[in-house]
Coordinates of all heavy atoms in Angstrom, one line a residue:
Chain C
F113 N -75.9 -56.2 91.7 CA -76.9 -55.5 92.5 C -78.3 -56.0 92.0 O -79.1 -55.3 91.4 CB -76.8 -54.0 92.2 CG -75.4 -53.5 92.5 CD1 -74.6 -53.1 91.5 CD2 -75.0 -53.4 93.9 CE1 -73.3 -52.6 91.8 CE2 -73.7 -52.9 94.2 CZ -72.9 -52.5 93.2
P114 N -78.6 -57.3 92.4 CA -79.8 -57.9 92.0 C -81.0 -57.1 92.5 O -80.9 -56.6 93.7 CB -79.8 -59.3 92.6 CG -78.7 -59.3 93.6 CD -77.8 -58.2 93.2
G115 N -82.0 -56.9 91.7 CA -83.2 -56.1 92.2 C -83.1 -54.6 92.0 O -84.0 -53.9 92.2
A116 N -81.9 -54.1 91.5 CA -81.7 -52.7 91.4 C -82.3 -52.2 90.1 O -82.7 -51.1 90.0 CB -80.2 -52.3 91.4
F117 N -82.4 -53.1 89.1 CA -82.9 -52.7 87.8 C -84.2 -53.4 87.4 O -84.4 -54.6 87.8 CB -81.8 -52.9 86.7 CG -80.6 -52.2 86.9 CD1 -79.5 -52.9 87.6 CD2 -80.4 -50.9 86.6 CE1 -78.3 -52.2 87.9 CE2 -79.2 -50.2 86.9 CZ -78.2 -50.9 87.5
E118 N -85.0 -52.8 86.7 CA -86.4 -53.3 86.4 C -86.3 -54.2 85.1 O -85.8 -53.8 84.1 CB -87.3 -52.1 86.1 CG -88.7 -52.5 85.9 CD -89.5 -52.7 87.2 OE1 -88.9 -52.6 88.3 OE2 -90.7 -53.0 87.2
A119 N -86.8 -55.4 85.2 CA -86.9 -56.3 84.0 C -88.0 -55.7 83.2 O -89.1 -55.4 83.7 CB -87.2 -57.7 84.5
L120 N -87.8 -55.7 81.9 CA -88.7 -55.1 81.0 C -89.4 -56.1 80.0 O -90.0 -55.7 79.0 CB -88.0 -53.9 80.2 CG -87.4 -52.8 81.0 CD1 -86.7 -51.8 80.1 CD2 -88.5 -52.1 81.8
N121 N -89.2 -57.4 80.3 CA -89.8 -58.4 79.4 C -91.2 -58.2 79.1 O -91.7 -58.4 78.0 CB -89.6 -59.8 80.0 CG -88.2 -60.1 80.3 OD1 -87.5 -59.4 81.1 ND2 -87.6 -61.0 79.5
G122 N -92.0 -57.8 80.1 CA -93.4 -57.7 80.0 C -93.8 -56.5 79.0 O -94.9 -56.6 78.4
V123 N -93.0 -55.5 78.9 CA -93.4 -54.3 78.1 C -92.7 -54.1 76.9 O -93.1 -53.3 76.0 CB -93.4 -53.1 79.0 CG1 -94.5 -53.1 80.0 CG2 -92.0 -53.0 79.8
V124 N -91.5 -54.7 76.7 CA -90.7 -54.4 75.5 C -90.7 -55.6 74.6 O -90.6 -56.8 75.1 CB -89.3 -54.1 75.9 CG1 -88.4 -53.9 74.6 CG2 -89.2 -52.8 76.7
D125 N -91.0 -55.4 73.3 CA -90.9 -56.5 72.4 C -89.5 -56.7 71.9 O -89.1 -56.0 71.0 CB -91.9 -56.2 71.2 CG -91.8 -57.3 70.2 OD1 -91.2 -58.4 70.4 OD2 -92.5 -57.2 69.1
Y126 N -88.8 -57.6 72.6 CA -87.3 -57.7 72.3 C -87.0 -58.3 70.9 O -85.9 -58.2 70.4 CB -86.6 -58.5 73.4 CG -86.4 -57.6 74.6 CD1 -87.1 -57.9 75.8 CD2 -85.5 -56.6 74.6 CE1 -86.9 -57.1 76.9 CE2 -85.3 -55.8 75.7 CZ -86.0 -56.1 76.9 OH -85.8 -55.3 78.0
S127 N -88.1 -58.9 70.3 CA -87.8 -59.4 68.9 C -87.5 -58.3 67.9 O -87.0 -58.5 66.8 CB -89.0 -60.3 68.5 OG -90.1 -59.4 68.2
Q128 N -87.9 -57.1 68.3 CA -87.6 -55.9 67.4 C -86.3 -55.3 67.6 O -86.0 -54.3 66.9 CB -88.7 -54.9 67.7 CG -90.1 -55.3 67.3 CD -91.1 -54.2 67.4 OE1 -90.8 -53.1 67.9 NE2 -92.2 -54.4 66.7
F129 N -85.4 -55.9 68.4 CA -84.1 -55.3 68.7 C -83.0 -56.3 68.2 O -83.3 -57.5 68.1 CB -83.9 -55.0 70.1 CG -84.7 -53.8 70.6 CD1 -86.0 -54.0 71.1 CD2 -84.2 -52.6 70.6 CE1 -86.8 -52.9 71.5 CE2 -84.9 -51.5 71.0 CZ -86.2 -51.7 71.5
A130 N -81.9 -55.8 67.9 CA -80.8 -56.6 67.4 C -80.5 -57.7 68.5 O -80.4 -57.3 69.7 CB -79.5 -55.8 67.2
P131 N -80.5 -59.0 68.1 CA -80.5 -60.0 69.1 C -79.3 -59.9 70.1 O -79.4 -60.2 71.3 CB -80.3 -61.3 68.3 CG -80.8 -60.9 66.9 CD -80.6 -59.5 66.8
Y132 N -78.1 -59.5 69.6 CA -76.9 -59.5 70.5 C -77.1 -58.5 71.6 O -76.6 -58.6 72.7 CB -75.6 -59.2 69.6 CG -75.3 -57.8 69.4 CD1 -74.3 -57.2 70.2 CD2 -75.9 -57.0 68.4 CE1 -74.0 -55.8 70.0 CE2 -75.5 -55.7 68.2 CZ -74.6 -55.1 69.0 OH -74.3 -53.8 68.8
K133 N -77.8 -57.4 71.3 CA -78.1 -56.3 72.3 C -79.0 -56.9 73.4 O -78.9 -56.5 74.6 CB -78.7 -55.1 71.7 CG -77.8 -54.3 70.8 CD -76.8 -53.5 71.5 CE -77.3 -52.2 72.1 NZ -76.3 -51.3 72.6
V134 N -79.9 -57.7 73.0 CA -80.8 -58.3 74.0 C -80.1 -59.2 74.9 O -80.3 -59.2 76.1 CB -82.0 -59.0 73.2 CG1 -83.0 -59.6 74.2 CG2 -82.8 -57.9 72.4
E135 N -79.3 -60.1 74.2 CA -78.6 -61.1 75.0 C -77.7 -60.5 76.1 O -77.7 -61.0 77.2 CB -77.8 -62.0 74.0 CG -77.2 -63.2 74.7 CD -76.6 -64.2 73.7 OE1 -77.0 -64.1 72.5 OE2 -75.7 -65.0 74.1
L136 N -77.0 -59.5 75.8 CA -76.0 -58.9 76.8 C -76.7 -58.3 77.9 O -76.1 -58.0 78.9 CB -75.1 -58.0 76.1 CG -75.6 -56.7 75.4 CD1 -75.7 -55.6 76.4 CD2 -74.7 -56.3 74.3
A137 N -78.0 -58.0 77.8 CA -78.7 -57.4 78.9 C -79.6 -58.3 79.6 O -80.5 -57.9 80.4 CB -79.5 -56.1 78.4

Side-chain angles (χ1 to χ4, degrees):
Chain C
F113 305 108
F117 302 95
E118 185 83 359
L120 301 177
N121 301 65
V123 284
V124 174
D125 178 5
Y126 282 112
S127 68
Q128 295 190 341
F129 289 88
Y132 88 98
K133 291 284 282 192
V134 177
E135 190 169 334
L136 61 86

